[in-house]
């Protein structure tokens, strides 16, 4: 959630993860202010990411919300303080961006050349540098504090036409909300099961990433596992919404035991330390080999180091990754690649009718029609409830199409995770679709062409809906 002007409210990367996140109650040295003298808001804090000295009430009035909207939303949300709001709160379209969580998951592929370099690299420590740089690169988008739409159960997102990658994501669970995705090209395989745990704190939310992200490099089968830091979204209702992710990011090479630990600095007084990342690539004996430093919204550099972590004489700091140029004054602060993700430029020739691009609420918001977007969002949510009711009446369970639930339980610092595995059926599906010569044949596979978007109904449903009363 952020204001239209980046100086008035927030930046990118989840809008966020199908939920929102942040805690200032544990926010160390951040500048905090109370909204004083306002009945009902006693003790509510507003954090200024720039550490300014404006009056607290003046700071609280910044952002996208009108006064009456703030008051109404605050009254509605107070009862959820301390709760996990991942799937229990209906949020206004005002705070959304015209993209779903499945599309946001695909944004990590923008700098996929880093994984190509990792796969081609002979130096094992540099491979870790490239892989962790790839995971860091998505955080530029995580500045974007608009919220993506929660996917409907069975919703999908497909992406092609970028660096030889085939990407498929699917919403595999509604309660709790979970998504799974698979991306692959000639150099790497990326698999992720995405799940978050949230804690609403009044004017902020903490997000704890329970998901599992793994990269496999194809040349020798090296597998890398990521544990990201938690994320904090500040000033959800009062003040300028902004995001921070203080803590450790840990990347482990499961094949040889090497590890990367990068520390995300928390934003301090007057914005000190914001965006900064520092750490090391370690060998299997936990001895530092390469130091890394930079800013997660700008660039990341590396340099060989000694056992004490000091730069080796005769070496220099070199850049591993730098953020690409982005559009100026973009309403939703999308990158050029973000716009491609949201268009049919990255879609296969024929796309599934369950694809996020076809959602009527997302499309209406993209066209600037907030009332229609809100109505369409409510309609989809009602139909989802109706489908669930009908499924339960029949004693049936939802079965994902492209991913299978495994027996594996993956531990995370914030709880255990049920793991979904790509079943390979999408690869088979695309091979069949791509070989078809006629639209009539492709219709049997529930696919459409871009020219049919206006006349094609978004269809993620596996059951007929009995509308909830």
């Amino acid at each position: 959630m952020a204001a239209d002007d980046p100086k008035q409210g927030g930046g990118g990367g989840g809008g966020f993860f199908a939920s929102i996140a942040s805690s200032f109650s544990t926010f160390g040295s951040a500048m905090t202010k109370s909204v004083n003298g306002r009945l009902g808001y006693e003790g509510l804090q507003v954090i200024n990411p720039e550490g300014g000295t404006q009056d607290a009430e003046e700071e609280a009035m910044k952002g996208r919300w009108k006064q009456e909207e703030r008051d109404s939303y605050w009254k509605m949300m107070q009862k959820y303080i301390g709760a996990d709001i991942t799937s229990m709160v209906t949020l206004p379209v005002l705070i959304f961006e015209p993209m779903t969580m499945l599309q946001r998951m695909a944004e990590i592929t923008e700098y996929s050349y880093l994984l190509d370099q990792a796969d081609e690299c002979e130096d094992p420590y540099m491979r870790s540098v490239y892989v962790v740089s790839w995971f860091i690169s998505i955080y530029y988008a995580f500045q974007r504090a608009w919220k993506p739409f929660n996917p409907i159960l069975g919703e999908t997102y497909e992406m092609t036409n970028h660096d030889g990658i085939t990407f498929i994501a699917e919403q595999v669970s509604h309660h709790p909300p979970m998504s799974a995705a698979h991306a692959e090209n000639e150099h790497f395989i990326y698999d992720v099961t995405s799940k978050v745990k949230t804690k609403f704190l009044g004017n902020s939310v903490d997000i704890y990433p329970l998901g599992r992200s793994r990269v496999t490099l194809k040349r020798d089968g090296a597998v890398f596992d990521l544990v990201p830091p938690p994320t904090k979204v500040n000033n959800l209702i009062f003040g300028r919404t902004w995001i921070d992710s203080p803590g450790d990011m840990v990347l482990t090479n499961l094949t040889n035991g090497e590890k990367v630990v990068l520390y995300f600095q928390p934003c301090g007084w007057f914005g000190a330390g914001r965006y900064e990342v520092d750490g090391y690539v370690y060998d299997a004996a936990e001895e530092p080999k390469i130091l890394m430093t930079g800013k997660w919204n700008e660039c990341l550099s590396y340099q060989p180091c000694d056992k004490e972590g000091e730069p080796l004489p005769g070496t220099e700091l070199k850049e591993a990754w730098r953020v690409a140029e982005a559009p100026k004054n973009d309403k939703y602060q999308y990158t050029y690649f973000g716009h491609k993700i949201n268009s049919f430029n990255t879609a296969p020739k024929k796309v599934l009718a369950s694809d996020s691009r076809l959602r009527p609420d997302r499309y209406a918001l993209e066209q600037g029609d907030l009332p229609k977007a809100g109505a369409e969002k409510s309609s989809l949510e009602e139909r989802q409830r109706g489908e669930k009711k009908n499924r339960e009446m029949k004693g049936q369970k939802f079965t994902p199409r492209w991913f299978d639930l495994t027996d594996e339980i993956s531990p995370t610092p914030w709880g255990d995770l049920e793991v979904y595995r790509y079943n390979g059926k999408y690869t088979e599906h695309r091979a069949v679709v791509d070989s078809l010569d006629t639209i009539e044949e492709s219709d049997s596979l529930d696919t459409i062409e871009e020219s049919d978007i206006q006349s094609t109904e978004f269809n993620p449903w596996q059951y007929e809906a009995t509308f909830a009363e």
Side-chain angles (χ1 to χ4, degrees):
M1 305 176 185
D4 293 355
D5 183 335
K7 293 183 179 179
Q8 289 280 311
F16 203 73
F17 290 118
S19 40
I20 21 190
S22 191
S23 163
F24 44 59
S25 61
T26 58
F27 194 68
S29 59
M31 172 72 79
T32 61
K33 298 180 180 181
S34 295
V35 180
N36 299 316
R38 306 192 59 202
L39 185 62
Y41 303 124
E42 295 84 353
L44 180 67
Q45 291 179 304
V46 178
I47 302 174
N48 182 353
E50 298 170 357
T53 56
Q54 301 98 319
D55 177 80
E57 192 155 349
E58 177 186 345
E59 181 70 21
M61 294 303 103
K62 294 182 179 179
R64 78 181 72 171
W65 297 89
K66 297 179 181 178
Q67 181 59 54
E68 59 272 20
E69 291 170 339
R70 283 194 189 92
D71 293 347
S72 175
Y73 192 51
W74 173 245
K75 289 178 182 178
M76 180 186 77
M77 296 297 290
Q78 275 183 302
K79 62 183 178 181
Y80 295 113
I81 292 177
D84 184 342
I85 60 169
T86 305
S87 59
M88 62 185 290
V89 179
T90 298
L91 299 170
V93 172
L94 171 70
I95 65 174
F96 282 71
E97 62 177 351
M99 184 182 285
T100 72
M101 183 55 204
L102 300 181
Q103 293 172 281
R104 183 173 287 283
M105 290 170 69
E107 284 190 87
I108 196 172
T109 62
E110 178 169 4
Y111 300 94
S112 57
Y113 70 85
L114 290 166
L115 295 185
D116 296 348
Q117 290 177 329
D119 188 48
E120 295 170 346
C121 184
E122 297 291 343
D123 185 327
Y125 306 122
M126 282 305 303
R127 299 177 85 187
S128 294
V129 167
Y130 291 131
V131 175
V132 81
S133 296
W134 182 70
F135 278 114
I136 288 287
S137 70
I138 189 59
Y139 278 80
Y140 178 83
F142 286 0
Q143 295 177 93
R144 193 169 72 236
W146 299 89
K147 186 190 184 303
F149 286 93
N150 287 346
I152 298 295
L153 186 64
E155 183 175 332
T156 59
Y157 178 76
E158 303 172 78
M159 188 194 76
T160 56
N161 307 322
H162 172 65
D163 199 22
I165 294 171
T166 297
F167 178 96
I168 178 68
E170 181 177 14
Q171 189 71 359
V172 295
S173 172
H174 181 55
H175 289 296
M178 294 181 67
S179 309
H182 174 85
E184 184 171 355
N185 72 1
E186 63 177 332
H187 290 289
F188 69 87
I189 298 170
Y190 169 58
D191 286 294
V192 57
T193 299
S194 177
K195 180 182 179 181
V196 297
K197 179 180 180 181
T198 65
K199 185 175 183 181
F200 180 59
L201 297 170
N203 198 33
S204 64
V205 180
D206 288 346
I207 292 183
Y208 305 98
L210 273 68
R212 189 179 80 170
S213 298
R214 287 190 174 173
V215 166
T216 302
L217 300 180
K218 287 190 171 181
R219 189 177 62 157
D220 65 359
V223 179
F224 295 83
D225 180 83
L226 182 80
V227 178
T231 293
K232 299 173 178 291
V233 177
N234 301 278
N235 301 346
L236 299 178
I237 305 170
F238 295 88
R240 299 173 292 175
T241 305
W242 61 285
I243 294 173
D244 202 19
S245 296
D248 286 336
M249 169 184 279
V250 181
L251 178 75
T252 304
N253 185 329
L254 299 179
T255 307
N256 62 18
E258 294 168 1
K259 186 176 293 187
V260 183
V261 181
L262 297 181
Y263 180 64
F264 285 55
Q265 297 283 348
C267 179
W269 288 93
F270 303 103
R274 191 178 183 199
Y275 310 119
E276 292 183 5
V277 180
D278 299 284
Y280 294 94
V281 177
Y282 296 92
D283 64 15
E286 299 187 356
E287 181 178 300
K289 293 295 183 180
I290 297 178
L291 67 83
M292 300 190 69
T293 185
K295 293 186 175 182
W296 52 258
N297 69 332
E298 184 178 312
C299 65
L300 197 62
S301 299
Y302 65 93
Q303 188 171 2
C305 65
D306 60 23
K307 294 181 180 180
E308 305 302 321
E310 296 298 324
L312 287 177
T315 64
E316 60 182 13
L317 199 63
K318 295 182 179 180
E319 193 170 274
W321 161 80
R322 177 172 290 275
V323 68
E325 183 179 355
K328 305 292 185 183
N329 302 317
D330 190 82
K331 177 177 174 63
Y332 292 105
Q333 298 167 315
Y334 285 165
T335 63
Y336 289 109
F337 185 72
H339 281 288
K340 289 181 180 179
I341 286 286
N342 218 22
S343 75
F344 277 83
N345 292 335
T346 53
K349 185 177 180 181
K350 297 179 177 68
V351 68
L352 295 165
S354 52
D355 194 89
S356 296
R357 300 174 183 88
L358 300 173
R359 283 183 60 142
D361 51 357
R362 187 212 65 78
Y363 183 73
L365 183 59
E366 188 174 41
Q367 300 303 306
D369 191 339
L370 267 68
K372 184 176 181 181
E376 295 285 6
K377 176 175 176 288
S378 296
S379 177
L380 287 176
E381 290 169 346
E382 180 183 1
R383 185 166 181 180
Q384 181 169 230
R385 288 190 292 270
E387 186 188 43
K388 178 184 177 183
K389 180 179 180 181
N390 193 32
R391 187 167 61 245
E392 290 175 344
M393 288 174 57
K394 295 180 179 180
Q396 297 173 327
K397 291 185 178 181
F398 171 82
T399 303
R401 190 172 180 181
W402 313 115
F403 297 85
D404 295 333
L405 179 62
T406 70
D407 294 330
E408 183 179 359
I409 301 296
S410 178
T412 78
W414 303 281
D416 291 340
L417 171 75
E418 312 94 309
V419 177
Y420 283 81
R421 179 180 58 228
Y422 176 61
N423 58 25
K425 293 180 181 179
Y426 180 75
T427 302
E428 298 171 2
H429 162 76
R430 284 257 47 99
V432 172
V433 171
D434 292 343
S435 68
L436 293 176
D437 295 325
T438 64
I439 295 178
E440 288 74 22
E441 287 175 304
S442 67
D443 284 343
S444 68
L445 287 173
D446 196 27
T447 60
I448 68 161
E449 291 188 311
E450 179 178 357
S451 58
D452 298 327
I453 182 173
Q454 297 297 331
S455 59
T456 302
E457 181 182 2
F458 172 63
N459 182 19
W461 318 109
Q462 290 192 4
Y463 300 82
E464 291 296 325
T466 300
F467 285 100
E469 298 179 359

